[in-house]
Amino acid sequence: GAVVSQHPSWVICKSGTSVKIECRSLDFQATTMFWYRQFPKQSLMLMATSNEGSKATYEQGVEKDKFLINHASLTLSTLTVTSAHPEDSSFYICSAFRDRVNSPLHFGNGTRLTVT
Amino acid sequence: DAKTTQPTSMDCAEGRAANLPCNHSTISGNEYVYWYRQIHSQGPQYIIHGLKNNETNEMASLIITEDRKSSTLILPHATLRDTAVYYCIVAGGTSYGKLTFGQGTILTVHP
């Protein structure tokens, strides 16, 4: 069964508004979670690494002020897309692994964001 | 992370074995080979991983060559529900978790 839960599955918002996406590890504690983004017909791209109790680290080209990440507990990370624009429409996917060396990364089912 | 090369697409008949190859000639000693698949509009699903020995689980088998420069994912009895994009990824060490997804192999299982 799913070990990483993501909510919502899909969301439609108006341009200029903010959207929050939640990612939960269901049966383990995750000090680190990862946020990926996937545009249509493209592969997944890592956006940022979410660290419990500290600031997230962002990949090159990802605006940290636009994609706010909060990892306030060992089972929850949130991604907020601020002042969303149509070009932010994408499939956002979170992932986490149990804190064991080389254990597999488990992915949530993704959130389809459409900005109108 | 080492780069991987996979065929763009493959076909397989339902009930037959699907053998998906992957080249990773620049893999380093501490990197594992991971296989994931993504069914349309879903998050990637973990399938199997290995370091140098062959591995088998309830979903698939992973065959890694002795020099570790290539591997093959085997789905022993493919079903229509196995139609997906299959990603071969090598990762390990301090960069683990920051998976680099290539374009993967689109596997189509047909009746």
Side-chain angles (χ1 to χ4, degrees):
Chain A
V3 296
V4 176
S5 174
Q6 203 169 329
H7 178 80
S9 300
W10 57 271
V11 58
I12 301 173
C13 72
K14 291 188 176 181
S15 187
T17 61
S18 296
V19 173
K20 180 185 284 187
I21 302 169
E22 293 186 347
C23 178
R24 296 181 184 273
S25 57
L26 296 182
D27 59 352
F28 63 97
Q29 295 181 331
T31 56
T32 306
M33 292 185 176
F34 303 90
W35 288 94
Y36 288 78
R37 178 169 57 181
Q38 185 175 32
F39 291 107
K41 299 190 185 301
Q42 295 186 23
S43 194
L44 283 79
M45 292 290 291
L46 179 66
M47 296 177 65
T49 301
S50 173
N51 304 296
E52 188 269 335
S54 64
K55 292 182 178 180
T57 55
Y58 293 81
E59 297 301 299
Q60 191 172 9
V62 178
E63 300 175 55
K64 62 179 182 179
D65 294 330
K66 181 169 187 60
F67 299 99
L68 301 180
I69 292 174
N70 185 289
H71 195 151
S73 78
L74 287 171
T75 59
L76 173 64
S77 174
T78 60
L79 170 68
T80 301
V81 183
T82 63
S83 187
H85 288 97
E87 56 266 30
D88 298 323
S89 297
S90 188
F91 193 48
Y92 293 87
I93 312 165
C94 71
S95 62
F97 59 94
R98 301 174 194 269
D99 289 331
R100 293 199 310 256
V101 175
N102 294 313
S103 63
L105 200 60
H106 295 282
F107 289 82
N109 255 343
T111 297
R112 174 77 57 193
L113 170 63
T114 302
V115 185
T116 61
Chain B
D1 290 343
K3 184 177 178 180
T4 62
T5 304
Q6 299 177 251
T8 302
S9 63
M10 294 183 65
D11 288 337
C12 177
E14 189 177 20
R16 305 296 293 268
N19 298 289
L20 289 83
C22 179
N23 287 322
H24 32 79
S25 58
T26 59
I27 191 170
S28 60
N30 66 346
E31 289 182 317
Y32 282 65
V33 180
Y34 296 84
W35 282 84
Y36 289 83
R37 71 181 182 184
Q38 186 177 27
I39 297 170
H40 183 62
S41 295
Q42 295 183 25
Q45 177 189 23
Y46 164 76
I47 301 173
I48 198 167
H49 75 289
L51 182 63
K52 55 182 178 181
N53 297 321
N54 297 337
E55 303 288 344
T56 296
N57 63 20
E58 64 279 3
M59 290 184 68
S61 294
L62 173 61
I63 308 298
I64 303 174
T65 57
E66 192 169 343
D67 63 7
R68 303 212 318 129
K69 293 184 177 182
S70 64
S71 61
T72 301
L73 177 74
I74 301 172
L75 306 179
H77 306 286
T79 70
L80 299 180
R81 287 183 295 180
D82 291 322
T83 293
V85 180
Y86 287 76
Y87 296 100
C88 167
I89 301 169
V90 293
T94 57
S95 66
Y96 181 66
K98 297 185 176 184
L99 302 184
T100 301
F101 284 80
Q103 293 305 307
T105 296
I106 301 171
L107 174 68
T108 303
V109 181
H110 51 86

